Amino acid sequence: MKVIGLVGTNASVSYNRKLLQFMQRHFKDEVEIEVAEIKDLPLFNEDAVSNPPASVQALNDAVKAADGVILATPEYDHAIPAALKSVIEWLSCIDHPFRNKAIMIVGASLGAQGTSRAQVQLRETLDAPGIGGYVLPGNEFLLSHATQAFDDQGWLKDTKTVAFLEECVAHFIDYAKMIEAKFAPQAVNNRSNLKWSASYDVIVLGFGAAGASAARFAADNHAKTLLVDAAPNGHEGGNVRYAGQVVATGTDYDQLLAYYQAMFGSIDIDEDLLATYVHGMVNMRDYFKTYLDVKDPVSYNDTYKYGPKTGPSDALAPEYPEFPGAKAFDLTLVHEGFFDAALWKNLRQHVLDRADNIDVWLDSPAEQLIQDPETKAILGVQIKRNGVSVNIRARNGVVMTMGGFETNQKYIQDYLGAPHLAPIGSLYNRGDGIRMAEAVGADMWHMHSYEGLGFLAGMTFAPKPGERGKLILAPWPDLYTGSIFVAGDDGSRYFREDEPNRHGRLYDHGTWRIPTAQDHAYLIFDQAQLDQFKQADNLPDTTFLDNLVKADTLANLAAATDLDPAVLEKTVTDFNSFAQNGEDFSQHRDAKTMRAFGNGPFYAARLEAGMLNTQGGPRRNAQAEILDVNEQPIPHLYGAGELGGANANQYAGGSNLAECLIFGKIAGENAAKQTPIASTVPVEGPTETDVQLGGNDIAQADALSEIELGTNQYLGVSEAGIGGEVVVRITYADNTLQKVDIVRQSESEDVGQAAVEQLPDKMVAANTYDVDSISGASTSSRAIKSAVKNALAKVPVEN
C-alpha cells in the first residue's frame, strides 16, 4: 500500500515534515509513505487551471496514483496555512485526485492545542464539492509542544504518543482498504458477466503520431473509432508535439536496409518487420503527398544540408556517415521549419476531419485491457472517463500507441538502470501500456533502449521535479572551451566534453552508447569561465546562471554538491596539468579548449541526462500485431510507435516518427479489417452508465461565439501555435493597445507558457504586436503575435 504524505507548509523548517518523516520510517513495514512537498508550488491561479504548472500536475499525478493521502498541517492563526489551502484549490480544480481516496489528517504545533482548530477547518475544506475524498473519522492525532517531541535522530520520544499514532495509522490502513475495495475497478479478465458502457469497432490508446495515424486509417476503413489519451485537452500529442518534426526517409531500399542493419549491429531484429519499416521510409515522400496532403514535402538534404537554408545540424542526415548505405538516408518535413509542431498539427487535423467516425476522449487514461480468458482475444478496454471506470467494447481490435515510460521513475530504474532522467518530451508517458500489455501476456523487447538529446552528452540543466528539461541544440562552445568540465557523482570527469553526441550517444569502443547516467552530475567552472559566460552574446540559456552553486574553495564546492572533495581537487589538478602540457590524458579533449582553473571562487551547475523517449514495450511483428511470450499474435491487439519501438542500439533522428506513421497506418487498417470476435464470457450491454461519456473532446464547434466581447474589444486567431489554435481578445481605443487577453491556447507548459505570460504585457507596453519573441518559445511567440495582428486588423479605422 502506497500513501502520499503531504507536508502542509512551504516553510523550510517544519515539525510537520519531521512528523511525516518519522511516520515514513516507523511504519515502513505496514505502509509505504512518500513525503511530498508543496513549497515549490505557485499560488493558485484560476486562469491557469486549463494549463496548470508542471509542478502542480506532478503532485496531482502522485496523489492520483497513491492508495491514500496523509495531510500534515500546522496551525497558523487558528487555520491551515495559505500554502496548503492553495494546493487543495489547485487539486480540486484540475483532475480531482482526492476523489475516492482515504485521507488522514495529522498535525504538529509548538503550542499545547496541537493544530486542533486547523484540523477542524481542514476537515470542512475537504468536504467541499470537487474534492471527493473520504477523511478518516474519529482519529485526531494532535502533536503538541513539537519542539520537545523529537530526539536528535527525528524519532518521537514519548511512547504513549507513538502508541496512539500506531493505533490511528492502523485504523487508517483498514479504512483505506475499505475505500479502495468500494471503488476498485471492476474485475474484467474473469468469467463474471461483462457490462459494456459503449461499443466501437476499434479503440486506439494514445493520441500522438502513431495514435492519430492508426485512428484515421481505421476510420478510413469504415471503423467507428475511439481515440483516447491520458493527457488533458491541449496537452495531447505525445512526443511528436515536441519533436523536431523530421521524418526518416530513404532514397534507395537496399542501401537504406544496409544502413539500418548497421545501426542495429549485433541486436537481432525481425527481418520482415525491418523490411516493412525500410520500405515505408523509402516511400515516405509519397506517404506525405497521398495521406498528409503535403503537395511538396521538404527534403532536409536538398534544402538544408546541400541547399541554401540553415538547419539544426549538417550531421543530422545521416548521423552515421561511416555506415554502409548512409548516402541513402534523408529526412522529410511538411514544410520548412523545425520544432514548430507542424507535423503534429497536420496529423491532429486529419483526426478532426474524421469527427463523424472518430470520437476523441482526453483526460481519459486506459486502465486495463479486457481479455477473453479462453481465446485470449482482446475484447475491449477499461477506461477512466470523467472519474469513473467504464468498460468499452472493441469489436474489431485495440491499438496500443501509448508511448514509453519517460516519467515512470520505477521503470527508469528497473529497465534503464538510471537513477533518474530528465524528460524533454511529453510528461504523460507514464508506462501504462507496459503494465497493461504484460497483464495480457505480451512479450517485451528493447526495454533497455532509450534516446537522448541535448548539449554535451545529451544533457540539460536539471529541471525541477515534474518539469520538462529544456532542449538546447544550439552550438554552445562555452560549455567545453575554457576552465570548465563535467563531473560525475564522485567529482571525476566521465566523458569528453567537446565530443558531438549522436542522440545522446558518444563513441565507445566501436559503437555509440549513451554514457551511464549520474545521480548528480555537475558542470564545474571557475570565475574566469563565469565571466566568459556573461560576456558571450546570445547564450542559448541564461537562466542557469541564476541557479549556480558558489564556493570559495573546491572543498566547500564539493560539500555543497555532494561530490568527493579529494576526487574533485585531483580532477581540477589533473585538468590544469593537461591544459598547461597540451594533452588531455583523461578524456582526450582538445587541449586548445582547456584553460587552467584559477584559485577561486568556483561554481557548479546541476546537470541531468536528457531523455527524448524510451523504446521498450510489447514486441510486435510486421503486421503491427502484438505478440505473446511464445511470439504468437495476441488476437485483436495491435501496437505502433514508441511503445515497443523497433529501434534499438544506435539510432537515427526521425526514425521514431517514421515508425509512428508507417506502423500506425498498418495497425489501424489491420484492426479495422478484423472480423468481430465473440466473447466466451457472458456479456451485458452496451448499458446505461452513471457517467456521461461524451462524444468528441476536440471536435470544432463555434468556439469563438462563446467568447464575450465588450466595448472596443476584438478577437484574433492564429493556427501557428505548437498546440494549434491561439485566440486573443484585445482592447483597443484611442489608438492604443490597452490590453491583450489570451483566452484560448494549448501551448507547451514550460517555454510556451513563458510566451503566454510575458508577451501580452510587452505588446501593451510597446503599443504593437511586433515585439521581440520570448527566448526558447519562438513558435508560441509567433502564434500570439499573429493572433494579435489578426485582432488589430479588425479595429475600425476611426479608432
Side-chain angles (χ1 to χ4, degrees):
M1 180 178 183
K2 182 174 181 179
V3 168
I4 292 292
L6 203 61
V7 181
T9 175
N10 55 10
S12 58
V13 177
S14 167
Y15 286 100
N16 283 278
R17 183 181 295 111
K18 291 189 71 171
L19 175 59
L20 285 175
Q21 290 169 342
F22 166 80
M23 295 173 68
Q24 185 182 50
R25 291 184 292 169
H26 186 75
F27 297 105
K28 61 183 175 61
D29 293 333
E30 290 84 17
V31 60
E32 178 186 350
I33 300 176
E34 177 186 340
V35 178
E37 300 282 354
I38 66 172
K39 55 188 177 66
D40 293 326
L41 271 63
L43 187 66
F44 174 71
N45 180 356
E46 190 173 0
D47 293 340
V49 166
S50 62
N51 189 20
S55 56
V56 173
Q57 188 65 54
L59 179 60
N60 174 90
D61 295 343
V63 171
K64 190 173 182 179
D67 300 307
V69 182
I70 300 174
L71 296 178
T73 179
E75 183 171 307
Y76 297 167
D77 298 329
H78 295 174
I80 64 174
L84 178 56
K85 182 63 165 61
S86 174
V87 169
I88 294 172
E89 289 169 355
W90 275 121
L91 299 185
S92 64
C93 282
I94 302 174
D95 198 21
H96 311 290
F98 291 122
R99 180 182 287 139
N100 301 336
K101 290 276 194 303
I103 302 173
M104 179 181 183
I105 298 174
V106 298
S109 72
L110 306 184
Q113 294 185 327
T115 72
S116 60
R117 291 178 176 177
Q119 290 199 28
V120 170
Q121 186 201 42
L122 183 54
R123 286 177 181 273
E124 292 177 348
T125 300
L126 294 173
D127 193 38
I131 294 178
Y134 289 81
V135 182
L136 176 68
N139 290 260
E140 287 186 321
F141 183 80
L142 312 168
L143 183 65
S144 59
H145 304 296
T147 53
Q148 291 85 43
F150 299 92
D151 64 18
D152 292 341
Q153 283 74 45
W155 297 94
L156 284 174
K157 294 187 290 187
D158 183 66
T159 56
K160 291 183 179 179
T161 300
V162 174
F164 178 63
L165 181 58
E166 288 173 343
E167 180 181 333
C168 292
V169 170
H171 291 164
F172 175 63
I173 292 173
D174 290 341
Y175 187 67
K177 290 179 179 178
M178 181 183 71
I179 297 300
E180 182 182 23
K182 177 178 176 61
F183 295 102
Q186 175 193 358
V188 293
N189 292 336
N190 57 32
R191 296 291 304 187
S192 61
N193 285 13
L194 280 170
K195 297 181 180 179
W196 300 114
S197 294
S199 182
Y200 288 85
D201 296 320
V202 172
I203 299 176
V204 179
L205 306 177
F207 190 8
S213 301
R216 63 80 54 97
F217 283 108
D220 288 350
N221 281 271
H222 314 294
K224 181 63 176 178
T225 302
L226 174 64
L227 174 59
V228 303
D229 200 281
N233 200 332
H235 295 268
E236 74 279 6
N239 284 337
V240 64
R241 176 187 178 105
Y242 303 99
Q245 311 302 299
V246 296
V247 181
T249 304
T251 58
D252 179 273
Y253 173 79
D254 291 330
Q255 290 188 51
L256 194 66
L257 179 62
Y259 184 64
Y260 272 82
Q261 287 172 332
M263 279 193 294
F264 279 104
S266 59
I267 303 295
D268 291 334
I269 184 69
D270 179 276
E271 292 183 0
D272 289 340
L273 183 142
L274 183 57
T276 300
Y277 192 11
V278 173
H279 271 297
M281 286 185 280
V282 171
N283 292 292
M284 189 55 67
R285 300 268 159 74
D286 288 337
Y287 188 114
F288 270 50
K289 294 175 183 177
T290 304
Y291 302 121
L292 302 185
D293 304 320
V294 179
K295 182 179 179 181
D296 296 307
V298 175
S299 161
Y300 184 91
N301 284 344
D302 292 348
T303 306
Y304 297 99
K305 187 168 185 176
Y306 304 117
K309 304 285 185 176
T310 301
S313 171
D314 287 343
L316 190 58
E319 281 189 80
Y320 296 90
E322 69 275 17
F323 284 179
K327 292 182 179 180
F329 185 86
D330 195 0
L331 297 165
T332 298
L333 300 92
V334 300
H335 71 176
E336 294 180 3
F338 307 90
F339 295 99
D340 57 2
L343 174 63
W344 158 237
K345 288 186 286 187
N346 180 297
L347 298 172
R348 186 178 185 273
Q349 187 60 49
H350 277 281
V351 171
L352 278 169
D353 291 343
R354 293 160 175 80
D356 288 345
N357 277 330
I358 301 176
D359 283 345
V360 178
W361 291 359
L362 300 175
D363 197 13
S364 301
E367 295 182 315
Q368 56 182 319
L369 297 169
I370 302 174
Q371 184 177 39
D372 189 288
E374 292 191 7
T375 67
K376 303 303 180 184
I378 302 304
L379 306 176
V381 186
Q382 187 173 84
I383 298 169
K384 196 159 192 176
R385 178 66 169 166
N386 296 331
V388 177
S389 297
V390 292
N391 297 334
I392 309 299
R393 179 77 163 101
R395 290 182 290 267
N396 295 26
V398 173
V399 184
M400 302 184 75
T401 65
M402 305 162 74
F405 52 90
E406 293 90 286
T407 61
N408 188 312
Q409 183 76 353
K410 181 177 183 296
Y411 285 178
I412 288 171
Q413 294 181 357
D414 288 349
Y415 296 124
L416 305 182
H420 45 78
L421 298 166
I424 52 181
S426 172
L427 293 175
Y428 294 92
N429 287 351
R430 303 162 180 163
D432 292 339
I434 293 169
R435 171 184 54 78
M436 292 169 57
E438 284 181 330
V440 297
D443 191 28
M444 297 290 153
W445 69 347
H446 303 160
M447 298 304 294
H448 70 288
S449 187
Y450 73 97
E451 314 308 334
L453 198 62
F455 57 72
L456 296 169
M459 307 189 88
T460 180
F461 291 111
K464 294 179 180 179
E467 295 186 359
R468 298 171 60 241
K470 185 176 182 180
L471 177 60
I472 299 173
L473 296 178
W476 199 349
D478 291 317
L479 295 178
Y480 54 82
T481 305
S483 39
I484 187 169
F485 61 81
V486 175
D489 288 344
D490 63 347
S492 65
R493 296 165 67 202
Y494 65 103
F495 64 83
R496 196 186 102 205
E497 293 88 0
D498 63 343
E499 179 180 358
N501 74 82
R502 297 180 177 182
H503 273 85
R505 291 168 172 78
L506 301 178
Y507 186 76
D508 181 13
H509 297 86
T511 190
W512 291 75
R513 296 185 178 92
I514 295 177
T516 300
Q518 305 292 299
D519 186 32
H520 53 288
Y522 281 94
L523 196 63
I524 305 293
F525 53 94
D526 66 357
Q527 183 63 48
Q529 192 71 26
L530 178 62
D531 294 339
Q532 182 175 322
F533 279 124
K534 291 182 176 180
Q535 293 166 7
D537 295 329
N538 300 320
L539 287 180
D541 183 10
T542 60
T543 60
F544 84 99
L545 296 174
D546 301 327
N547 299 297
L548 299 179
V549 178
K550 178 182 179 182
D552 292 333
T553 67
L554 289 172
N556 288 342
L557 188 69
T561 54
D562 197 26
L563 301 177
D564 187 315
V567 173
L568 181 61
E569 290 188 9
K570 185 178 188 309
T571 302
V572 171
T573 299
D574 289 346
F575 184 94
N576 290 347
S577 173
F578 302 151
Q580 293 162 356
N581 295 330
E583 187 167 0
D584 178 6
F585 290 105
S586 172
Q587 301 298 324
H588 309 291
R589 177 169 139 190
D590 185 351
K592 294 178 183 178
T593 69
M594 303 171 74
R595 177 178 62 226
F597 276 63
N599 295 323
F602 303 99
Y603 300 88
R606 183 76 177 262
L607 301 174
E608 193 161 357
M611 175 173 51
L612 272 179
N613 64 280
T614 60
Q615 301 286 7
R619 186 188 299 270
R620 57 179 179 254
N621 61 20
Q623 289 74 47
E625 296 170 305
I626 289 180
L627 307 179
D628 64 17
V629 293
N630 297 313
E631 298 198 20
Q632 296 301 309
I634 297 175
H636 295 249
L637 185 61
Y638 300 85
E642 293 166 3
L643 175 63
N647 292 277
N649 202 28
Q650 295 152 130
Y651 173 80
S655 296
N656 278 327
L657 284 181
E659 185 178 10
C660 289
L661 300 182
I662 295 165
F663 288 98
K665 178 177 183 291
I666 293 171
E669 289 176 340
N670 287 345
K673 294 174 183 177
Q674 272 280 11
T675 301
I677 189 168
S679 170
T680 66
V681 180
V683 174
E684 302 175 13
T687 64
E688 292 297 323
T689 179
D690 58 357
V691 61
Q692 295 298 315
L693 296 178
N696 195 323
D697 291 348
I698 64 169
Q700 294 294 312
D702 187 13
L704 299 185
S705 64
E706 302 172 3
I707 301 173
E708 295 183 1
L709 292 177
T711 304
N712 297 322
Q713 290 187 329
Y714 310 90
L715 284 183
V717 181
S718 172
E719 294 287 346
I722 193 171
E725 187 179 70
V726 173
V727 181
V728 303
R729 177 176 56 213
I730 69 168
T731 304
Y732 191 93
D734 301 325
N735 295 317
T736 304
L737 182 60
Q738 298 178 347
K739 191 175 183 181
V740 174
D741 293 314
I742 301 177
V743 293
R744 291 214 176 96
Q745 56 86 20
S746 298
E747 300 309 284
S748 59
E749 61 276 358
D750 35 44
V751 292
Q753 191 62 28
V756 171
E757 294 172 352
Q758 298 175 32
L759 272 184
D761 289 342
K762 291 180 66 173
M763 293 177 180
V764 170
N767 197 32
T768 178
Y769 72 89
D770 192 13
V771 296
D772 290 338
S773 296
I774 301 301
S775 177
S778 56
T779 299
S780 298
S781 298
R782 284 196 298 270
I784 295 168
K785 290 193 284 186
S786 174
V788 173
K789 181 181 180 182
N790 176 259
L792 287 169
K794 300 175 182 178
V795 177
V797 175
E798 61 271 15
N799 201 340

